[in-house]
Amino acid sequence: MKKLLFVYNPYSGKGQISTHLAEIIDIFTKGGYDVTAHPTQAQNDAYSTVKSYGGEYDLIVCSGGDGTTNETIKGIMNGGHHVPVGTIPAGTINDFASSLGIPKYMPDAARLIVRGTPEYVDVGAFNDRYFTYVAAFGVFTEVSYATDQQLKNSIGALAYLIGAMKEAAQKADLSKKYTLTIECNGSSVTDDFIYGMVANSLSVGGIKGLAGKNIRMNDGLFEGLFIKKPATIIELNQILAALIKHEFDSPFIYYFKSSEFHLTAHDDIPWTLDGEYGGNCPDISLCSLHNVLKIMVDKSKCLGLED
């Protein structure tokens, strides 16, 4: 039998994995796999487990939020393993799984992994670290990942985000800025920003379309979106209107598609990588590592991959 390593966060998504664990393992077993199940014990346990032992398996499956997926993929990359990975979403946002058309119902995701095909996707490099789908800083990062998902679901993620940004502006938070020099595609810009991201995803922070249209996760290109600091509430409203309409040619927005970005921070900028704290880095090289990871997907239902 083929060997499968199943790494899961037992607490992610309020522990919903416990309801489906026996059925998931049964699906894998009936699919021809000898399953080793490993519940994570602490932060970075998924990373260390996959890095140390991933090469001994034919397939690695992770279940949890975007953080667990990030740890698993980092473990594969740093371990030098050439093993396909499947993901069963269990967290509150799950941008990566959503972009690949992975079902939210856990047993259905397990069936997709068994019946699907391995397809290559790009992985991001942030200096000497890896990220799966987004490196970001600023107001969207602070609001989106700090918000209770039930509240987002009840009134809509974008609606909440707009309200939160307006509230921040009304509290005189317009003075908050991050000065950054962006170099990509042979050009350079320096400006003051309230938000920035380099992404490879159809949704970010649970918000679809925030990275633009026609996103492909295996085209070797990442999307860079940087929002200038508004001087007034009127300008802030113009920015929000542009984002809602996906009009990235707004004078308040810089939008790029590139395989490489070099960013120089003029201030301290706290970054998040896949929704987790990524450190405070003044000099950053971001690039797309083209088609370095195999993901189990149903190609017919996956909008984020090129043929």
Side-chain angles (χ1 to χ4, degrees), residues 5 23 34 40 54 89 101 111 117 126 147 156 169 198 206 267 273 283 297:
L5 175 61
E23 183 178 3
D34 180 15
T40 58
R111 293 185 187 96
T117 57
F126 181 94
T147 305
V198 174
D267 312 287
L273 304 180
D283 193 70
V297 298

Side-chain angles (χ1 to χ4, degrees), residues 246-267:
H246 300 156
E247 295 176 347
F248 296 149
D249 57 350
S250 162
F252 300 101
I253 296 174
Y254 292 98
Y255 184 75
F256 311 95
K257 281 182 177 282
S258 181
S259 60
E260 296 183 13
F261 296 80
H262 186 82
L263 310 176
T264 304
H266 299 234
D267 312 287

Side-chain angles (χ1 to χ4, degrees), residues 159-201:
Y160 178 82
L161 196 56
I162 290 171
M165 287 187 69
K166 288 183 176 179
E167 182 180 355
Q170 290 167 358
K171 292 180 179 178
D173 204 24
L174 286 177
S175 61
K176 192 169 185 178
K177 66 177 183 178
Y178 303 97
T179 304
L180 193 68
T181 297
I182 307 165
E183 298 174 77
C184 71
N185 299 329
S187 63
S188 174
V189 297
T190 300
D191 218 320
D192 296 331
F193 300 96
I194 58 169
Y195 174 77
M197 74 173 185
V198 174
N200 188 40
S201 179

Side-chain angles (χ1 to χ4, degrees), residues 2 22-23 38 42 57 60 68 77-78 85 91 130 140 148 201-202 223 252:
K2 295 176 290 184
E23 183 178 3
H38 179 87
Y57 293 86
I60 298 171
T68 303
M77 297 294 294
N78 285 330
V85 62
Y130 298 107
F140 280 88
D148 180 80
S201 179
L202 276 65
E223 287 66 38
F252 300 101

Side-chain angles (χ1 to χ4, degrees), residues 43-303:
Q43 187 174 7
N44 288 320
D45 186 28
Y47 167 73
S48 59
T49 299
V50 171
K51 180 183 178 183
S52 298
Y53 305 108
E56 301 174 10
Y57 293 86
D58 301 288
L59 177 64
I60 298 171
V61 178
C62 64
S63 181
D66 287 320
T68 303
T69 303
N70 175 277
E71 285 191 30
T72 300
I73 292 175
K74 284 194 302 183
I76 291 172
M77 297 294 294
N78 285 330
H81 308 312
H82 301 284
V83 180
V85 62
T87 180
I88 298 177
T92 55
I93 297 180
N94 299 302
D95 285 313
F96 185 69
S98 174
S99 296
L100 291 169
I102 307 296
K104 293 183 179 179
Y105 184 59
M106 289 180 154
D108 286 346
R111 293 185 187 96
L112 180 150
I113 291 169
V114 170
R115 300 170 184 170
T117 57
E119 298 287 344
Y120 278 106
V121 297
D122 305 333
V123 172
F126 181 94
N127 289 345
D128 59 350
R129 301 174 62 180
Y130 298 107
F131 64 96
T132 309
Y133 73 98
V134 66
F137 68 87
V139 63
F140 280 88
T141 306
E142 297 164 4
V143 171
S144 183
Y145 288 105
T147 305
D148 180 80
Q149 187 66 19
Q150 287 187 346
L151 179 59
K152 284 187 186 181
N153 293 341
S154 65
I155 67 173
L158 189 56
Y160 178 82
L161 196 56
I162 290 171
M165 287 187 69
K166 288 183 176 179
E167 182 180 355
Q170 290 167 358
K171 292 180 179 178
D173 204 24
L174 286 177
S175 61
K176 192 169 185 178
K177 66 177 183 178
Y178 303 97
T179 304
L180 193 68
T181 297
I182 307 165
E183 298 174 77
C184 71
N185 299 329
S187 63
S188 174
V189 297
T190 300
D191 218 320
D192 296 331
F193 300 96
I194 58 169
Y195 174 77
M197 74 173 185
V198 174
N200 188 40
S201 179
L202 276 65
S203 69
V204 178
I207 303 170
K208 292 184 178 180
L210 189 58
K213 301 177 182 179
N214 302 317
I215 306 298
R216 294 295 179 265
M217 299 171 69
N218 60 346
D219 62 359
L221 299 175
F222 280 8
E223 287 66 38
L225 175 72
F226 300 87
I227 300 174
K228 294 172 61 174
K229 184 184 80 68
T232 65
I233 297 294
I234 293 175
E235 290 184 355
L236 176 62
N237 288 333
Q238 291 174 338
I239 292 170
L240 295 173
L243 291 175
I244 291 170
K245 298 175 183 178
H246 300 156
E247 295 176 347
F248 296 149
D249 57 350
S250 162
F252 300 101
I253 296 174
Y254 292 98
Y255 184 75
F256 311 95
K257 281 182 177 282
S258 181
S259 60
E260 296 183 13
F261 296 80
H262 186 82
L263 310 176
T264 304
H266 299 234
D267 312 287
D268 288 338
I269 300 182
W271 286 80
T272 68
L273 304 180
D274 297 338
E276 305 292 331
Y277 179 63
N280 217 326
C281 305
D283 193 70
I284 303 155
S285 292
L286 294 113
C287 68
S288 168
L289 305 176
H290 185 44
N291 283 350
V292 295
L293 183 74
K294 287 184 179 179
I295 299 284
M296 301 300 294
V297 298
D298 179 348
K299 190 69 179 293
S300 67
K301 297 180 180 179
C302 183
L303 300 176

